[in-house]
Amino acid sequence: MTKPEPKLPPAKEPGPLQRFREMIRRHTLLNTAWQIGVFTVGMTVLAGGLVMMVTPGPGIVGIVLGLAILATEFAWAQRALHRAKAAAERAKEKALDPRKKRRNLIVGITCGILGGAAVVAYLVVYDYTLPWNIEDPKFWD
């Protein structure tokens, strides 16, 4: 006696976005234009993320978002996105390590105390005068 084959759920009808994308894929010129557009937008976001790595801003988010945009059309970007996700997961595990977390907390508190002490020392030296109100900067001579 053989087992009856399991019934598969009925195939889900593609949504309007999937139908639109399939229509574009059927036309070579439209497909090429679409890929050029995705490449341009994805590389722009990726480049913005790289710039934000050295300037203020969420650089990692920009890089991952750029790779995600590129991964919708290109296999190499999918592989890079998977590697980036794996690296982010490893970094998260490392950051949640109790010993490293304790060390980072101690370093942060120490830097905060030293920064506060520097501000207090400045205010004592300049008699609680703000930098733009100093008339005779003897300290710098």
Side-chain angles (χ1 to χ4, degrees):
M1 185 169 177
T2 61
K3 286 185 183 179
E5 289 192 29
K7 289 186 178 180
L8 297 174
K12 202 170 157 184
E13 188 172 317
L17 243 43
Q18 286 94 1
R19 287 193 307 266
F20 174 74
R21 187 62 189 110
E22 285 304 316
M23 181 203 61
I24 289 193
R25 279 197 177 112
R26 283 192 295 264
H27 295 73
T28 308
L29 186 61
L30 285 177
N31 190 37
T32 303
W34 179 269
Q35 286 183 338
I36 289 171
V38 168
F39 182 78
T40 303
V41 170
M43 288 305 282
T44 302
V45 173
L46 183 65
L50 290 173
V51 167
M52 285 188 280
M53 290 298 286
V54 294
T55 61
I60 297 292
V61 173
I63 291 171
V64 170
L65 189 60
L67 284 174
I69 292 169
L70 290 167
T72 62
E73 289 297 317
F74 304 105
W76 59 266
Q78 263 183 342
R79 288 190 301 274
L81 182 61
H82 288 304
R83 277 190 241 121
K85 283 181 180 179
E89 187 64 33
R90 285 192 306 272
K92 182 182 93 172
E93 293 300 322
K94 204 180 224 185
L96 293 177
D97 180 20
R99 290 180 302 178
K100 290 190 179 15
K101 195 172 182 181
R102 190 173 335 124
R103 181 201 65 198
N104 291 345
L105 183 64
I106 291 169
V107 168
I109 290 172
T110 304
C111 289
I113 290 171
L114 289 174
V119 169
V120 169
Y122 173 85
L123 292 174
V124 168
V125 167
Y126 284 107
D127 200 25
Y128 300 102
T129 305
L130 296 174
W132 47 86
N133 293 333
I134 295 174
E135 294 175 17
D136 186 26
K138 292 179 185 175
F139 180 76
W140 303 110
D141 290 336

